[in-house]
Amino acid sequence: MRKLPQGLKLGVATASFQIEGAWNTADKTPHIWDTMCHDHPEYIKDKTNADDACKSFEFYERDIEMLKFLGVEFYRFSISWPRILPTGYANKISETGYQYYNNLINKLLANNIEPVVTIYHWDLPQNLQDLGGWANPLIVDWFGDYAKVLYKLFGDRVKSWITINEPKQFGVFGYGMERFAPRINAAGIGEYLATKNIVLAHARAWHIYDEEFRNTQKGECGITIATDFRGAVSDSPEDIEAGLDAIEFEVGLHSHPIFSSKGGFPDRVVRRVAAKSAEQGFPRSRLPEFTAEEIEYAKGTSDFYGFNHYSTRYYTRSTYTPGSQPIPSYADDLGADFNYLDYEPGLLPHVTVIPPGIRKALKWVKDNCNNPPIFITENGFGTIGGGLRDPERISYYRKYLDNILDAIEEDGCNVVKYTAWSLMDNFEWDSGLSAKFGLFQVDFDDENKKRTARTSALWYKNLIATRTLDSNKTSIPELEEHVF
Ligand code: NOJ
C-alpha cells in the first residue's frame, strides 16, 4: 500500500469529437474528422463514425454525475473549434456552442470539479484544412485568434488551459502518413511543416495568455506532448544511438523548441534530416528551420509539461532496411526498427504494458525539459471489446501509478496532476467505437448511450477516496451496478 503524495490531483479526461456527437447541430460546421469519417468510412477500422458518439452534447449532465461518483478533482475536456467558431475564424461566435461549454463549465464548478480545457484536440475546421490546415503558416494567427476567444469567454472560470494535444499524432499521422485526418501523406515534408507551425501556434496562444490574460485571470497554460518512452534494445553503442534518436524524433521534436534552454529542433533530428535530405538530392533540409526570432518566441512557453503516456518501445538499427519505409519519410529519417521488450501483450498495439517505461519517460522530461511541473494529462488502457469486469485495466493503472510514485519519490520528478484516460468509452479515432478506454462502458447501440461503471471505475473511485495505491494487490472490486 502506498500513500499518494499530498497535492497530487486526480482527474479524468475526454475530448470533444470523441464524446460529443451533435456533429451538425445548430451552426456547427464540419471538421477534418467529420469529413474523413463521412467520405471514407473504410479509413476507420470498424467503419463507425462519431456523429453520435456518447451524445455528451445532449447528456453532459450525466457525465458530470459520473465525475461526481468518481470524486475527481478535475475534468479535462476539449472544446470543438468549429462548434464555437463556425467559420473557423474569430469573426463569429456560435451562441449554441458558447452556451454548451458555458453550462458545462458552470456545472462542473458548481460541483467542485475544476475544468481543465484543451483548446485543440484534433478537430480542425474543414475550411481551414482546405487552405492547408496545419501546413499553412497562417494557422498561427487562426489558432491564436481562436484561443483568445476562449480566454475571453471562459478564462474568468477556467484556470488551466492546454493549447494543443499531442502534436506528433496529428502532425505526423495527418500530414506525413495516411493514418489520421486529413491524411495528406506528404511524407518527409508535410509532417515537418505542420510540426513547425504547431509549435509556433502553441507559442502564440501562450503569449496571448501571458500578455493579455494572466494578470487578471491568474491561470496556467501549457502544451500536452505524447511522451511514450523510447529506448534502445541493447547496450550496443549503435542501439543506444538509435534509442536516443528515437526519443528525439518522437518527443524532442515537439518538446525541445518549447522546454529546452537552447530552443529550436533537437540537434539529432536536425542532423539526420539534413543528411538524408542531402543524400536524396534536396537542395535544403526537409526540416524547416526556425529563425532566431522564432526560437526565442517559442522557448519557455509552457507553464507545465502536459504528459500523455501509454507505452514504450525499444529501438535498433541493426535490422533496419532502407526501403522498408517510404523514402523520404519521418520513419526513414529516424531509420530504426522497434521492438517491445519485457512486455505483457496489450490488447491494442499502442497500449502494450511496460510499466517501468512511464518512470523513464518522467525522468527524461525532468532531465531534458528543465525539470518542469509535470501534468500527466492522459494515461490509460485500451481493449477491443467491452465488458464490465476489467482486471487488465486495473492492473495497468496499479502498475503505472506505482512507477509514477517511484518517479516522484526516488527520481524527484515534479508530478502535479494525474489524469486517467478515459472517463468513458468513446470514438477512438481510426479504431472507431470498438476500442474501449473507459472507466465507464458506453452502450453505443442504445439511443441514450447508457453508461455503466466498470470495475476500474470502482477501483479509481476508491483510489481517489483513500489516496492509497494498493500496488501489492491483484484482486478487483466486486462489481456493483452503477448506471448513468
Ligand atoms: C491520446 C489521445 O489524446 C486520445 O484522444 C486517445 O483517445 C488516446 N490517446 C488513446 O489512444
Side-chain angles (χ1 to χ4, degrees):
M1 294 291 209
R2 296 180 79 169
K3 272 283 172 206
L4 301 187
Q6 257 191 345
L8 176 70
K9 291 189 177 180
L10 301 174
V12 289
T14 61
S16 46
F17 175 61
Q18 295 181 270
I19 63 162
E20 287 176 359
W23 77 277
N24 61 355
T25 291
D27 48 358
K28 179 182 168 290
T29 53
H31 55 64
I32 54 178
W33 279 89
D34 290 325
T35 307
M36 184 175 116
C37 293
H38 292 157
D39 294 355
H40 291 284
E42 72 278 12
Y43 294 162
I44 308 298
K45 285 196 186 82
D46 60 3
K47 302 195 173 51
T48 54
N49 61 44
D51 288 1
D52 289 335
C54 309
K55 289 198 178 168
S56 285
F57 182 77
E58 197 178 332
F59 298 139
Y60 70 94
E61 287 173 301
R62 285 162 56 201
D63 299 351
I64 295 177
E65 289 306 312
M66 290 145 67
L67 297 166
K68 282 164 61 181
F69 173 82
L70 293 173
V72 292
E73 287 162 277
F74 66 90
Y75 176 43
R76 175 184 177 221
F77 62 94
S78 79
I79 290 184
S80 164
W81 187 338
R83 192 182 295 291
I84 207 93
L85 297 180
T87 68
Y89 304 103
N91 63 322
K92 180 177 173 285
I93 295 170
S94 160
E95 183 56 27
T96 311
Y98 165 71
Q99 287 301 343
Y100 171 62
Y101 294 112
N102 202 49
N103 290 338
L104 173 60
I105 290 165
N106 286 343
K107 290 199 172 136
L108 287 169
L109 288 170
N111 286 290
N112 253 324
I113 300 167
E114 186 200 339
V116 170
V117 176
T118 311
I119 298 173
Y120 184 75
H121 203 125
W122 308 352
D123 33 12
L124 184 73
Q126 181 59 48
N127 65 314
L128 300 186
Q129 183 54 48
D130 295 342
L131 297 176
W134 290 98
N136 185 336
L138 287 177
I139 192 99
V140 178
D141 292 336
W142 305 333
F143 182 70
D145 295 345
Y146 163 49
K148 185 166 174 171
V149 166
L150 299 190
Y151 303 148
K152 273 195 195 154
L153 293 177
F154 307 123
D156 55 336
R157 287 153 291 152
V158 172
K159 302 299 164 196
S160 200
W161 295 99
I162 293 161
T163 54
I164 290 177
N165 180 68
E166 293 197 347
K168 183 210 148 185
Q169 279 54 25
F170 70 92
V172 176
F173 296 168
Y175 293 81
M177 284 173 63
E178 284 186 331
R179 179 161 173 207
F180 281 4
R183 287 174 62 108
I184 297 300
N185 199 17
I189 311 274
E191 63 275 66
Y192 298 128
L193 285 182
T195 299
K196 178 177 174 184
N197 295 330
I198 293 167
V199 166
L200 293 174
H202 153 77
R204 173 69 61 84
W206 184 88
H207 279 289
I208 293 172
Y209 191 76
D210 195 51
E211 285 151 30
E212 302 176 38
F213 296 90
R214 189 189 296 279
N215 271 346
T216 49
Q217 298 188 346
K218 306 202 184 322
E220 52 178 9
C221 178
I223 188 166
T224 280
I225 297 174
T227 315
D228 280 10
F229 187 67
R230 269 68 179 110
V233 300
S234 81
D235 287 342
S236 80
E238 295 76 24
D239 287 349
I240 287 175
E241 280 300 301
L244 291 171
D245 286 342
I247 198 150
E248 293 296 356
F249 268 81
E250 298 263 293
V251 184
L253 191 61
H254 310 96
S255 64
H256 197 271
I258 297 167
F259 293 94
S260 71
S261 307
K262 185 173 174 215
F265 288 129
D267 289 343
R268 284 177 177 274
V269 180
V270 171
R271 282 201 305 267
R272 282 195 73 83
V273 183
K276 289 258 181 178
S277 303
E279 264 170 44
Q280 292 155 357
F282 287 93
R284 69 186 72 80
S285 177
R286 289 176 280 99
L287 183 68
E289 285 176 11
F290 285 109
T291 64
E293 203 185 329
E294 288 169 339
I295 289 178
E296 285 310 310
Y297 188 72
K299 245 181 12 183
T301 58
S302 199
D303 302 329
F304 53 82
Y305 187 106
F307 176 102
N308 282 2
H309 184 99
Y310 287 86
S311 189
T312 288
R313 287 175 184 170
Y314 296 99
Y315 283 78
T316 180
R317 287 218 165 87
S318 60
T319 54
Y320 183 74
T321 331
S324 60
Q325 298 288 344
I327 300 175
S329 68
Y330 166 91
D332 182 65
D333 289 338
L334 169 57
D337 289 325
F338 61 85
N339 276 307
Y340 296 109
L341 294 177
D342 306 329
Y343 71 95
E344 299 165 27
L347 303 175
L348 278 174
H350 67 298
V351 283
T352 305
V353 186
I354 308 179
I358 197 165
R359 179 173 173 186
K360 292 182 190 161
L362 289 165
K363 180 76 168 37
W364 185 90
V365 170
K366 180 186 178 206
D367 295 345
N368 290 274
C369 299
N370 277 318
N371 192 14
I374 301 176
F375 177 174
I376 299 179
T377 42
E378 283 182 36
N379 176 227
F381 185 72
T383 59
I384 295 284
L388 295 174
R389 276 177 222 279
D390 53 349
E392 306 92 345
R393 183 169 289 107
I394 296 175
S395 161
Y396 178 100
Y397 280 124
R398 275 185 176 129
K399 290 178 183 168
Y400 274 69
L401 276 159
D402 201 33
N403 276 277
I404 293 168
L405 294 186
D406 288 344
I408 297 172
E409 291 166 10
E410 288 170 40
D411 305 336
C413 297
N414 182 12
V415 180
V416 291
K417 289 192 183 112
Y418 176 83
T419 319
W421 181 274
S422 175
L423 172 62
M424 61 187 152
D425 293 342
N426 54 51
F427 188 80
E428 177 57 23
W429 310 106
D430 60 338
S431 297
L433 292 172
S434 44
K436 319 282 185 191
F437 278 85
L439 297 174
F440 288 81
Q441 173 168 285
V442 176
D443 182 353
F444 292 108
D445 295 329
D446 170 29
E447 219 190 308
N448 290 317
K449 310 294 168 193
K450 182 170 93 168
R451 296 114 154 85
T452 310
R454 291 202 165 103
T455 53
S456 55
L458 306 175
W459 180 85
Y460 198 55
K461 177 184 170 64
N462 184 60
L463 176 80
I464 295 170
T466 60
R467 297 194 59 86
T468 304
L469 178 68
D470 53 356
S471 45
N472 49 352
K473 283 204 179 162
T474 50
S475 58
I476 65 167
E478 285 292 313
L479 198 56
E480 301 162 9
E481 191 170 87
H482 296 280
V483 175
F484 293 83

